[in-house]
Amino acid sequence: MLEEGYKMNEGLPAFEDIMVVKDLKMHFPVTAGLLKRTVGHVKAVDGVSFTIKRGQILGVVGESGSGKSTLGNCVLGLLDYTSGEIYYEGQELKGIPRKAMKRLRNRLQAISQDPFSSMDPRMDIAAIVTEGLSIHDMVKGKKEKEEIAARMLEMVGINPTFMHRFPHEFSGGQRQRISIARTLALQPNFIVCDEIVSALDVSIQAQIVNLMEKLQN
């Protein structure tokens, strides 16, 4: 349940602009001394603005440490940014109460750049793909989870009969496909891809990029 007096945009027409960012700034304090006094700031994101329309892909280019991941985390509502405005489907994220933000989590999702450390080695693939669904109480029962896992794995080119295998039994490229399946299982409206091919061989990178273009279409 949402907090009393707070209403989401549910039931309203979908916004053409799914994400609007205006003059976003994320400055991290630099402290020194025993009292940890602030002596400066690291400007990870400093005055970034953009608009993403539904169905559009936006690429953010920059060297390592330039603030790309920080920008993505701000857009996902994972960081309390310093200043600026972020609107998801017309609703400013900064004004959303914590309980209501939790309901948005399945709509705003991310795919990690590291397909090796982002999976629990003790969980089989079916459990990994449906983990988010379980957290958000979107499925009930083992049978339904397996049906969804099979459908998602097939969508990303992984044999559904492998769903009870464990992460160490798959290659890096296959693990990244599984990561994509896990994200898609929640049926998000907006996905942040944080350098999702950087940890993969060049030949596998092309496969993942082609897969993402296919899914976009």
Side-chain angles (χ1 to χ4, degrees), residues 18-19 50 52 75-76 88 107-110 188-192:
I18 192 168
M19 184 66 67
F50 58 82
I52 303 178
V75 167
L76 291 171
Y88 167 72
R107 307 182 194 179
L108 299 167
Q109 284 292 307
N189 294 338
F190 185 85
I191 301 175
V192 172

Side-chain angles (χ1 to χ4, degrees), residues 43-217:
K43 298 180 179 180
V45 180
D46 195 31
V48 173
S49 301
F50 58 82
T51 297
I52 303 178
K53 296 186 179 297
R54 192 174 300 278
Q56 181 182 16
I57 291 179
L58 173 69
V60 179
V61 181
E63 62 186 10
S64 179
S66 62
K68 302 186 298 299
S69 295
T70 300
L71 172 61
N73 287 333
C74 288
V75 167
L76 291 171
L78 299 176
L79 287 176
D80 187 13
Y81 45 93
T82 305
S83 64
E85 300 168 69
I86 300 177
Y87 295 90
Y88 167 72
E89 293 197 326
Q91 174 67 57
E92 187 171 10
L93 293 186
K94 205 158 195 174
I96 298 180
R98 181 173 295 182
K99 289 183 179 179
M101 191 64 201
K102 184 178 180 181
R103 291 192 60 187
L104 278 180
R105 287 295 173 211
N106 64 310
R107 307 182 194 179
L108 299 167
Q109 284 292 307
I111 301 174
S112 171
Q113 64 178 304
D114 187 354
F116 299 96
S117 64
S118 61
M119 297 181 188
D120 188 334
R122 300 166 296 180
M123 297 172 63
D124 65 19
I125 299 307
I128 288 172
V129 171
T130 59
E131 183 180 13
L133 296 174
S134 299
I135 292 172
H136 290 279
D137 296 321
M138 297 172 66
V139 292
K140 295 181 179 180
K142 181 179 179 181
K143 182 179 179 181
E144 184 179 4
K145 288 182 181 180
E146 290 188 346
E147 289 174 351
I148 294 174
R151 188 161 65 247
M152 292 298 103
L153 290 172
E154 187 173 10
M155 183 182 295
V156 299
I158 298 291
N159 191 329
T161 63
F162 296 165
M163 72 168 67
H164 294 302
R165 296 185 180 183
F166 291 84
H168 72 271
E169 300 180 69
F170 295 88
S171 67
Q174 289 174 320
R175 291 190 202 186
Q176 194 60 289
R177 288 173 181 268
I178 294 167
S179 294
I180 294 170
R182 174 175 55 187
T183 298
L184 295 178
L186 287 162
Q187 299 184 353
N189 294 338
F190 185 85
I191 301 175
V192 172
C193 301
D194 188 0
E195 299 189 40
I196 62 172
V197 297
S198 62
L200 304 175
D201 294 336
V202 175
S203 59
I204 306 300
Q205 288 180 4
Q207 294 178 19
I208 297 300
V209 170
N210 290 337
L211 171 63
M212 295 303 293
E213 290 181 343
K214 179 181 177 181
L215 293 172
Q216 180 201 18
N217 294 331

